[in-house]
Amino acid sequence: MRLKNKTLTGVVQPLSYVDQMLRQQGFQRSGGDSMPTYDVVIYDSASSSSYFLRIPTNFSSTNTGKGELTVKLGHPYLEAKFSMSIDTEEFFFIPKSVREAAEHKLAEIADYLSSPSPPS
């Protein structure tokens, strides 16, 4: 499920700053050195289910003037941590409480990453 977050999507910052900030917020980096994606698990105790909040990135051509790599944040999205069987007829809905928790987390991150990065 794609989440709408106009404040965060499209933000361009140095990779080192994005990496540090998201790791402090509990995210794990995947994707190696090419187009990293940041994931955090949100657990819903009501349904005993886990969900990934993912923030994809792309390397940006913007140069900071310091020779640092910069990344542009993509559209964040939520997905179930497990795969559903193809032959199941159940539709998988993400609970409202999980969506709200994800949106709150994204707003907090946007506050940090939308402001200029601190000098290194």
Side-chain angles (χ1 to χ4, degrees):
M1 162 184 244
R2 190 168 157 180
L3 300 172
K4 295 177 183 173
N5 191 302
K6 294 178 184 178
T7 311
L8 188 63
T9 303
V11 168
V12 177
Q13 288 285 4
L15 174 60
S16 60
Y17 181 57
V18 169
D19 194 71
Q20 176 187 11
M21 183 57 54
L22 291 177
R23 287 178 189 259
Q24 286 175 353
Q25 294 293 318
F27 284 78
Q28 300 279 327
R29 180 176 166 176
S30 61
D33 290 332
S34 63
M35 294 195 289
T37 298
Y38 292 89
D39 304 326
V40 69
V41 175
I42 297 175
Y43 180 74
D44 179 37
S45 58
S47 64
S48 298
S49 298
S50 296
Y51 304 87
F52 280 119
L53 171 57
R54 292 203 158 125
I55 303 174
T57 66
N58 288 306
F59 287 106
S60 173
S61 60
T62 305
N63 191 336
T64 63
K66 301 176 187 174
E68 291 182 86
L69 286 174
T70 57
V71 290
K72 181 178 182 179
L73 279 69
H75 292 279
Y77 59 96
L78 268 173
E79 64 182 29
K81 188 174 178 183
F82 56 91
S83 299
M84 296 289 288
S85 171
I86 292 176
D87 50 336
T88 184
E89 301 227 354
E90 293 179 47
F91 287 97
F92 188 73
F93 293 103
I94 297 174
K96 182 179 179 181
S97 60
V98 173
R99 290 192 314 266
E100 288 173 349
E103 289 167 1
H104 179 74
K105 182 69 118 175
L106 292 172
E108 186 177 352
I109 292 166
D111 284 344
Y112 288 116
L113 293 180
S114 295
S115 59
S117 61
S120 301

